[in-house]
Amino acid sequence: MSSSDHPLTLVLVGPMAAGKTSVGRKVARLLDVPFIDTDKRIAAEHGPIPAIFAAHGEARFRELEREAVAAAIAEGGVVSLGGGAVTDADTRALLHRHPVVFLTVTAEAVERRISGGSRPLLAGEDDPVERWRTIFDQRRSWYEEVADLTVDTSRRPMRALAEKIAAWRRKQP
């Protein structure tokens, strides 16, 4: 299916709390490839993401993110991107060369998922779900631009979603 020259790669994009990490881990196991979470890589290398935002701003974070995305895609496997990775034009250009799945989710499902989280763009919000909705609306067209497949994670069991995505990826060149 893949050679060492061209490792099997699948990129997951979507808003915060769409299930990119939980679905991504399952898809990676089904495809027998590594799972890479670019947010976790950035945090391991540069410290907590909220601290990067606070100390250096979103623009610097997006630079670090672009580098992490490029490195992860070069390694191959299932690559889960942070919700805002698609805001960077260079990152989107890179994604056009790889199979990308857009995990979408409803605001109602997100409400159950984001309670007690440490997501820097929702920090200190009186209504984090409304803030999530605004961010998602701003980014939706970018997710759609890079996506080859869109999957709604709101209601279906994550295992079934992972099986659907893995089956789709096996059919891609």
Side-chain angles (χ1 to χ4, degrees), residues 13 29 44 54-55 58 68 70 82 91 95-97 105 107 123 129 132 147-148 153:
V13 300
R29 275 197 296 276
E58 185 173 358
T91 298
L95 297 180
H96 286 300
R97 299 193 298 268
V105 64
V129 175
W132 176 91
D148 299 300
T153 67

Side-chain angles (χ1 to χ4, degrees), residues 85-97 142 145-146:
V86 296
T87 64
D88 182 83
D90 291 335
T91 298
R92 290 196 310 277
L94 176 64
L95 297 180
H96 286 300
R97 299 193 298 268
W142 288 319
E145 173 192 327
V146 299

Side-chain angles (χ1 to χ4, degrees), residues 9 12-13 21 24-26 31 34 43 45 50 63 65 77 84 87 98 107 115 125 134 161 163 169 171-172:
T9 302
L12 300 178
V13 300
T21 299
R25 282 193 179 113
K26 289 173 176 55
L31 294 174
E45 257 186 72
E63 289 174 24
E65 184 174 52
T87 64
H98 301 278
S115 59
E125 292 292 325
T134 300
L161 296 172
E163 288 169 357
R169 178 57 186 95
K171 295 176 188 167
Q172 303 308 301

Side-chain angles (χ1 to χ4, degrees), residues 137-157:
D137 288 344
Q138 291 167 346
R139 297 174 178 172
R140 183 188 312 261
S141 65
W142 288 319
Y143 295 133
E144 292 168 348
E145 173 192 327
V146 299
D148 299 300
L149 175 69
T150 300
V151 176
D152 189 331
T153 67
S154 303
R155 289 180 192 81
R156 289 185 56 199

